[in-house]
Amino acid sequence: MGLEHLSGAVGLLADPLTLAIMVLATFLGMIVGALPGLGTVTALAMILPFTFVLSAPQAIGMLLAVYVSSVYGGSVPAILINVPGTPQSAATTLDGYPMAQKGQAAEALGWVTVASTIGGIFSMIVLMFAAPQLAAVAVRFGSVETFALIVFSLTTIAWVSVGNPLKGLLAGVFGVMLSFVGVDELSGADRFTFGNFALSAGFHVVPILIGLFALSEVFITAGRGIAQTTQPIVSTGFKVAPLSAWMKLRKTLLRSSLLGTFLGILPGVGATAASLIGYAQARSGSPRAANFGKGEPEGIVASEAANNAVTGGALVPTLALGIPGDAATAVMLGALVIHGITPGVQLFDRNPDLVSFIFVALLVANVMMLIAGALTAQVFSRVLKLPHALVMGGVVALSLAGSWVIRFSMIDVWVAVAAGLAGLLFRFANVPLAPIVIGFILGAPLEVNLRQGLIVSEMQPLQFFASPIACAFFALTAAVVLWPAVGPRLTIRRKPKLEDLDT
Amino acid sequence: MKRILNTDTLLGAVSALGGVFLLIVSHRQNASVFVLPGDAPPFLVPQLFLYVMIALSLAVLASGILRGGEAVPPQRWVHLAAVLAVVAMAAALMKPLGFLVVSPVAVAAVCALLGFRRVLLNIVVALVITVLLYGLLTGLAGLPLPKVPGLGF
């Protein structure tokens, strides 16, 4: 990307109207992202019609600002009231809400905002320098390779179930089973619907999240009683940790940003899976693993860096191949086509100024998100100063409305209530909830890719090992599964050799 | 008796029974499903996972019997049941009566059950939350919520 194209892009962005549109879009995206049941795709779909009257740079800037800020916006209620505003913020509840409960909401919002910005900027840099090359890698991922990747991703269930491996695996399988309800994509057969037409469309992830995390918290509070909940001194506002604290988490930041960017490049995986996998990866390698789930900043940083890094990653196949990386980039692809821009490899040759503009706009959108996040955190965090009973009452209203607006179906509202009851019972039984979400999200693509791979290989499963990419992921999976049994023995065998050297 | 009846044994037993039930259902449905040439039967993967689920459930059950499981911490069962009932009724009545009617009642009831004693403030806050949510979703986002019959909003 030439300097002259970048300077041209900066010139386009320096237009006050374009910047004003992006600022407004950032706040709008944040608000919509914070409302459970709406999400990034809804936010983009809402503003798409407004882009018709704008110029191409203004339209692209507006869409990118909403895209980036809505992903971040979902983490605010995730921290403050244990309700993920967007599915990709589900992992943030695991440590964000406990931090808020300890009176560290301001610190949590600081961690989230900066980590999201860093993840987003990292993926923008990757997009800028390697989009066409990475797109070539994405094209090599067929059904077999994607199946192998998802099998590897399922091992993250073990990482978020430390201390409870059996129950964690059971929860993960339960989540996978939930994904099978509805009409089978390949054969059209109704599965586990029991003749109920409303279940033919299957379950949606949002009511499950709302029920498991938000409503179950209301029920737990009712059972425990608010008087028994310690009321910490609540820090409201926005506090960024010192640089030294960030330096300790630099490996986590880098790994999660890389993970999010890579998973964003692959169509069908998505930011929700990326944030959960990023969280699980961070937990597995952290010296503070025991603190995860109790308000550990590293958990928040990992999930938020990963989910915002998906934004740039998902743009790689969108711009370079014209294949949207996720539903959100599908909306953006539509907007580009409406403005006469045809994504593909030739876009980089024919429209280098526009491509440069996208990179610079993505950078500016992330910076705007940081500033807007810091400003709005002051307002949002005051929710915690309200009596806890009122907050829980608000959660009930949010849960009912949020689960209804997804598909305007009562089945989603009932799913949320049932998930709330199930979440309550699981919490009594000390069953971790994150594996249920991981299993649900990965279950459907796991099965679809497995069966497509079997069709392509003419029901010869051994053909799966003919793919080097698939073999690499199967080997990684085996290593992760066998390490707990093999690893300690390898460590013991090494120690006598060192002692021999000393003598 | 206490040792056997704990959260682990209950969890294991319920999920094992559920898994067996779903397995039977899937075998029955599988018999009448058309399978595309070259495709795996649509219930193959779910059945594989059901076998895993049953195995894991039995392992949790055994662990609960042998080691004893978690005891449920003391709960205010009446309050818990009441909040559950309020939320369930709100879900049931939201479509027939409308969001603007059901939501403030549900919010106020839940707040009262959770111990918020200031009645007037409770009602005001419940109304404000409902109207704010309604405005954001219906007005800003253009996503309709269930309407109050006869009122059109």
Side-chain angles (χ1 to χ4, degrees):
Chain A
M1 217 30 66
L3 272 176
E4 68 276 13
H5 301 303
L6 277 173
S7 63
V10 171
L12 278 173
L13 202 56
D15 170 36
L17 184 59
T18 305
L19 285 172
I21 288 170
M22 285 184 71
V23 167
L24 270 171
T26 300
F27 281 103
L28 182 70
M30 217 170 277
I31 292 168
V32 176
L35 290 170
L38 297 189
T40 304
V41 179
T42 306
L44 287 167
M46 272 166 55
I47 59 136
L48 183 62
F50 295 105
T51 65
F52 299 160
V53 298
L54 301 175
S55 65
Q58 288 167 347
I60 291 167
M62 188 177 196
L63 287 165
L64 286 173
V66 167
Y67 185 28
V68 161
S69 61
S70 60
V71 173
Y72 159 74
S75 60
V76 174
I79 289 168
L80 298 180
I81 56 173
N82 205 34
V83 181
T86 54
Q88 48 266 47
S89 301
T92 308
T93 60
L94 301 174
D95 277 286
Y97 186 62
M99 270 193 89
Q101 285 187 307
K102 288 196 290 189
Q104 295 170 351
E107 289 84 350
L109 288 169
W111 283 111
V112 151
T113 311
V114 177
S116 296
T117 307
I118 292 173
I121 292 176
F122 179 90
S123 69
M124 183 278 296
I125 293 170
V126 168
L127 176 70
M128 190 160 73
F129 289 107
Q133 296 83 354
L134 287 170
V137 171
V139 167
R140 294 185 63 193
F141 268 74
S143 305
V144 172
E145 291 78 11
T146 308
F147 167 71
L149 169 65
I150 294 173
V151 168
F152 171 66
S153 303
L154 280 172
T155 60
T156 56
I157 287 173
W159 293 334
V160 295
S161 314
V162 173
N164 264 317
L166 260 183
K167 290 182 189 174
L169 282 170
L170 182 60
V173 170
F174 179 70
V176 171
M177 288 307 304
L178 286 176
S179 73
F180 294 144
V181 174
V183 172
D184 173 41
E185 277 185 38
L186 293 176
S187 68
D190 264 339
R191 296 190 302 190
F192 307 116
T193 58
F194 302 100
N196 188 336
F197 180 71
L199 286 177
S200 295
F203 296 133
H204 196 282
V205 68
V206 171
I208 291 174
L209 283 173
I210 287 175
L212 279 179
F213 291 101
L215 283 178
S216 72
E217 183 64 25
V218 175
F219 301 150
I220 285 276
T221 306
R224 203 183 293 158
I226 289 188
Q228 293 186 27
T229 311
T230 51
Q231 299 294 321
I233 297 168
V234 172
S235 67
T236 55
F238 183 82
K239 287 184 189 165
V240 180
L243 186 62
S244 54
W246 283 98
M247 289 307 290
K248 283 183 191 166
L249 299 180
R250 62 188 185 281
K251 283 186 187 169
T252 301
L253 261 174
L254 180 62
R255 187 171 47 212
S256 294
S257 300
L258 263 169
L259 197 73
T261 306
F262 174 66
L263 290 176
I265 290 167
L266 304 176
V269 181
T272 311
S275 69
L276 286 162
I277 293 167
Y279 178 87
Q281 284 266 357
R283 182 177 184 162
S284 71
S286 172
R288 294 167 290 275
N291 294 337
F292 275 65
K294 298 173 192 168
E296 171 55 46
E298 192 173 355
I300 301 174
V301 162
S303 67
E304 284 297 313
N307 76 15
N308 267 78
V310 167
T311 56
L315 283 170
V316 168
T318 306
L319 294 177
L321 301 172
I323 300 170
D326 58 15
T329 43
V331 174
M332 280 203 276
L333 185 64
L336 287 172
V337 171
I338 286 166
H339 283 89
I341 299 158
T342 309
V345 179
Q346 292 178 344
L347 179 71
F348 289 78
D349 295 326
R350 287 186 187 164
N351 270 319
D353 284 345
L354 184 70
V355 173
S356 300
F357 175 81
I358 291 172
F359 301 149
V360 176
L362 197 52
L363 172 66
V364 169
N366 276 288
V367 172
M368 280 184 180
M369 177 192 72
L370 177 66
I371 298 167
L375 292 171
T376 52
Q378 307 282 345
V379 174
F380 282 133
S381 61
R382 287 184 194 281
V383 163
L384 292 179
K385 294 231 172 192
L386 294 170
H388 197 55
L390 291 181
V391 174
M392 290 292 107
V395 167
V396 168
L398 255 176
S399 302
L400 291 172
S403 49
W404 164 264
V405 297
I406 298 151
R407 296 185 290 192
F408 308 106
S409 166
M410 279 309 299
I411 201 78
D412 289 328
V413 179
W414 284 116
V415 165
V417 176
L421 180 59
L424 171 72
L425 297 174
F426 283 138
R427 287 167 79 163
F428 281 161
N430 210 21
V431 174
L433 300 180
I436 300 174
V437 181
I438 295 173
F440 179 79
I441 288 164
L442 296 178
L446 173 82
E447 187 199 11
V448 165
N449 284 287
L450 169 62
R451 286 168 65 190
Q452 283 176 343
L454 287 171
I455 290 172
V456 165
S457 65
E458 294 177 351
M459 292 298 281
Q460 304 285 332
L462 289 177
Q463 285 288 320
F464 283 31
F465 295 98
S467 161
I469 296 175
C471 285
F473 280 112
F474 287 139
L476 274 170
T477 306
V480 166
V481 168
L482 294 172
W483 182 254
V486 172
R489 291 180 191 180
L490 285 174
T491 314
I492 291 167
R493 275 194 194 164
R494 269 193 215 129
K495 274 187 184 171
K497 285 186 183 175
L498 289 170
E499 285 159 4
D500 288 341
L501 282 172
D502 286 340
T503 54
Chain B
M1 200 62 184
K2 255 193 195 174
R3 188 176 171 78
I4 293 173
L5 265 184
N6 54 61
T7 52
D8 284 8
T9 53
L10 286 171
L11 172 70
V14 168
S15 57
L17 285 170
V20 168
F21 170 70
L22 289 174
L23 201 56
I24 294 169
V25 164
S26 68
H27 277 293
R28 280 189 189 163
Q29 285 187 314
N30 208 24
S32 57
V33 168
F34 170 73
V35 181
L36 285 167
D39 185 19
F43 283 93
L44 173 66
V45 177
Q47 283 169 352
L48 287 173
F49 275 94
L50 279 169
Y51 285 120
V52 171
M53 182 169 146
I54 293 167
L56 287 169
S57 304
L58 292 174
V60 169
L61 176 64
S63 167
I65 292 171
L66 295 172
R67 294 185 204 172
E70 308 273 342
V72 176
Q75 301 290 318
R76 304 187 316 163
W77 293 107
V78 172
H79 290 83
L80 175 56
V83 167
L84 271 165
V86 165
V87 171
M89 277 174 54
L93 295 173
M94 192 170 79
K95 204 169 172 192
L97 296 184
F99 180 77
L100 283 174
V101 166
V102 167
S103 172
V105 173
V107 170
V110 166
C111 291
L113 285 166
L114 292 180
F116 192 72
R117 297 279 171 243
R118 297 166 67 179
V119 175
L120 189 60
L121 188 59
N122 191 1
I123 294 169
V124 167
V125 168
L127 284 168
V128 166
I129 288 172
T130 302
V131 169
L132 203 62
L133 252 183
Y134 188 87
L136 278 169
L137 290 172
T138 309
L140 182 67
L143 298 167
L145 288 165
K147 293 179 183 169
V148 178
L151 288 181
F153 55 79

